[in-house]
Amino acid sequence: MENWSKKCGFRTNKELNRAAGVSIRSVLNMLMENLDGADSRPIVPLGHGDPSAFPCFRTTHVAEDAVVDAVRSAKYNSYAPTVGILPARSAIAEYLSRDLAYKLSPDDIYVTTGCTQAIEVVLAVLASPGANILLPRPGFPYYEARTAYNNLEVRHFDLIPEKSWEVDLNAVEALADENTVAMVIINPSNPCGNVFTYQHLKKVAETARRLGILVVADEVYDHIAFGSNPFVPMGVFGSIVPVLTLGSMSKRWVVPGWRLGWLATCDPNGILKNSGIVKSIKDYLDISVDPATFIQGAVPQILEMTQEDFFSKIIALLREDSDICYDRIQEIPCITCPHKPEGSMFVMVKLNLSLLEDINDDMNFCLKLAKEESVIVMPGCAMGMKNWLRITFAIEPSSLKEGLERIKSFYQRHAKRQ
Ligand SMILES: *Cc1c(COP(=O)(O)O)cnc(C)c1O
């Protein structure tokens, strides 16, 4: 007993508490706990981007068949190499090369447990003592969580709402110093819903080159673009600046639970190989867990056989959703949308607290909205933007209408009286 109690600090990793505190899941859990159990209406989940439960977002039978075939073949019951099995890496190299003027080789690809693990790997590899990294604000909080965990210093640059959420490149120049290792961009953007133009991405590449830093391009929403800007992968500029591209099947195939992602080195000049980063990626993967081998086994069939009509159906659905979302937001005076979404599954809206009677900030808004209307939206503070909200429109259109209708009546009930 004596020994136990002495040890009962049970020393734990303090960075872990700090890191977990800034996760989407911790905020979502808090909102879910705040729901009113007596509300018989269904919850409208506008908080996180996982539409897979809605029948209209069901993945293609091509993907389902590929997994079944992989299991039944009995070829994928073994441990996989830590970088991933060769057929999966070849298929991913082929898939990403479709959009590039040069060809990626299987050696440029690392199969990861979702895009999430690709982020984990990159941030662990870049976290040398004294280093810092530039992250977008608003952003995707998992980056903040992993940098905190790795003791990697973060400096934020703004995305500018009035300029269709483009990167404030002057801020990037001002923030970077000799210890800056990389900047992160997320395109199509979570949480902003914009898609960067070719011109803007080229400027990002040129800025990074001038500063001598890498670009980490989170392209988990690759090709989920339904406005006027087509999706352009950052790897297109790989000969200007080395790019670490992160992606997954989670969003485009609507199967986030399959946990299949990748990390690609888009670096035709071989700078990453010479710098030791490639070796560090392999070392890190040697001490991590891999995605299930049969899911890796299904990858070639999924990437090669998925028909265009599946993708266009999903895109049409998201375009319809984004139109509904944008139009209905106009009817709710206390939120304004600076930029109509044209990609990903999200939009950022600004909260005007002066129109509300008894709401003091974005978190308070979200907690009361959950309690009174059973609608979940993310407070902007979780993304580094206090008094903004992030709304996902990627759900069944009729539920989306219902959710926005409830936000409207919530506003009417809380509106400041003259
Ligand atoms: C969803 C998401 C991820 C995580 O992708 P998984 O493949 O589900 O791990 C990473 N980055 C961004 C910006 C995301 O929205």
Side-chain angles (χ1 to χ4, degrees):
M1 265 334 258
E2 191 57 19
N3 266 340
W4 275 121
S5 57
K6 227 181 268 163
K7 278 201 171 164
C8 241
F10 281 133
R11 243 183 295 167
T12 57
N13 183 340
K14 290 224 171 56
E15 298 313 323
L16 192 55
N17 305 115
R18 195 156 69 91
V22 290
S23 75
I24 291 264
R25 290 205 185 171
S26 67
V27 177
L28 275 179
N29 288 342
M30 188 162 66
L31 294 174
M32 295 299 282
E33 280 162 19
N34 209 51
L35 289 167
D36 179 1
D39 191 343
S40 60
R41 298 174 299 176
I43 298 166
V44 183
L46 307 179
H48 70 309
D50 178 1
S52 58
F54 294 93
C56 58
F57 279 99
R58 180 161 173 179
T59 194
T60 165
H61 62 86
V62 171
E64 295 174 355
D65 291 346
V67 174
V68 172
D69 291 351
V71 172
R72 288 212 194 279
S73 75
K75 286 199 302 204
Y76 305 108
N77 295 340
S78 315
Y79 287 117
T82 54
V83 290
I85 63 171
L86 184 58
R89 297 163 74 207
S90 302
I92 295 165
E94 200 60 43
Y95 171 72
L96 296 175
S97 298
R98 288 181 205 165
D99 297 321
L100 302 173
Y102 57 95
K103 267 207 163 325
L104 295 173
S105 101
D107 289 340
D108 293 314
I109 309 295
Y110 305 87
V111 183
T112 56
T113 309
C115 182
T116 303
Q117 196 200 12
I119 298 171
E120 176 195 325
V121 174
V122 165
L123 295 180
V125 163
L126 295 178
S128 60
N132 67 71
I133 189 165
L134 311 184
L135 297 184
R137 178 177 49 216
F140 183 64
Y142 189 67
Y143 286 90
E144 276 73 7
R146 291 310 311 188
T147 47
Y149 185 70
N150 288 312
N151 271 317
L152 174 59
E153 187 199 332
V154 170
R155 299 178 182 180
H156 287 104
F157 57 85
D158 285 325
L159 304 175
I160 311 169
E162 298 79 22
K163 284 187 161 177
S164 46
W165 295 108
E166 284 190 345
V167 173
D168 181 349
L169 289 168
N170 294 329
V172 169
E173 301 251 11
L175 288 168
D177 63 16
E178 68 281 4
N179 294 319
T180 305
V181 287
M183 66 181 288
V184 172
I185 58 163
I186 302 172
N187 182 47
S189 167
N190 175 4
C192 306
N194 64 300
V195 177
F196 291 136
T197 61
Y198 179 96
Q199 303 313 342
H200 186 63
L201 290 169
K202 185 152 184 245
K203 279 189 200 149
V204 168
E206 287 163 350
T207 305
R209 183 193 178 101
R210 212 163 31 248
L211 298 169
I213 63 178
L214 307 177
V215 177
V216 175
D218 183 329
E219 295 177 354
V220 75
Y221 297 97
D222 69 333
H223 292 285
I224 303 188
F226 37 82
S228 50
N229 297 341
F231 165 68
V232 177
M234 192 69 205
V236 163
F237 306 101
S239 51
I240 299 179
V241 66
V243 177
L244 293 168
T245 297
L246 321 182
S248 83
M249 296 196 319
S250 304
K251 310 293 163 68
R252 200 174 184 206
W253 276 268
V254 210
V255 289
W258 293 10
R259 310 310 302 129
L260 195 293
W262 52 78
L263 161 57
T265 50
C266 299
D267 176 32
N269 301 329
I271 294 166
L272 295 172
K273 211 163 256 152
N274 296 332
S275 73
I277 284 183
V278 163
K279 164 117 184 16
S280 300
I281 292 171
K282 288 181 182 157
D283 287 345
Y284 190 85
L285 288 172
D286 278 345
I287 53 168
S288 344
V289 287
D290 325 312
T293 313
F294 69 89
I295 295 288
Q296 299 191 45
V299 167
Q301 212 168 308
I302 297 173
L303 296 189
E304 286 153 23
M305 309 272 286
T306 299
Q307 303 292 310
E308 200 47 47
D309 63 353
F310 167 70
F311 295 132
S312 24
K313 190 194 79 181
I314 298 292
I315 290 289
L317 201 48
L318 288 173
R319 185 183 291 120
E320 179 191 345
D321 271 342
S322 75
D323 287 342
I324 293 170
C325 194
Y326 189 72
D327 292 347
R328 304 273 162 132
I329 285 168
Q330 315 300 318
E331 298 168 12
I332 308 171
C334 67
I335 52 178
T336 47
C337 176
H339 186 74
K340 186 174 179 188
E342 53 194 358
S344 85
M345 302 177 171
F346 303 94
V347 62
M348 286 292 281
V349 297
K350 194 170 174 25
L351 195 54
N352 185 348
L353 291 169
S354 70
L355 298 179
L356 294 160
E357 187 66 59
D358 53 350
I359 308 274
N360 46 40
D361 63 12
D362 53 340
M363 183 58 99
N364 190 235
F365 182 96
C366 294
L367 286 168
K368 286 184 172 150
L369 182 68
K371 194 175 192 63
E372 296 173 24
E373 299 286 349
S374 299
V375 174
I376 307 289
V377 301
M378 284 300 286
C381 60
M383 267 92 10
M385 294 279 275
K386 196 166 171 55
N387 295 335
W388 287 66
L389 306 171
R390 186 190 75 172
I391 299 176
T392 177
F393 45 82
I395 66 171
E396 212 266 312
S398 64
S399 311
L400 179 62
K401 286 179 194 156
E402 163 79 22
L404 291 161
E405 203 51 47
R406 289 192 210 169
I407 297 178
K408 189 170 162 185
S409 45
F410 179 81
Y411 161 73
Q412 286 161 348
R413 225 170 31 253
H414 292 271
K416 208 163 247 174
R417 310 273 165 232
Q418 289 310 324

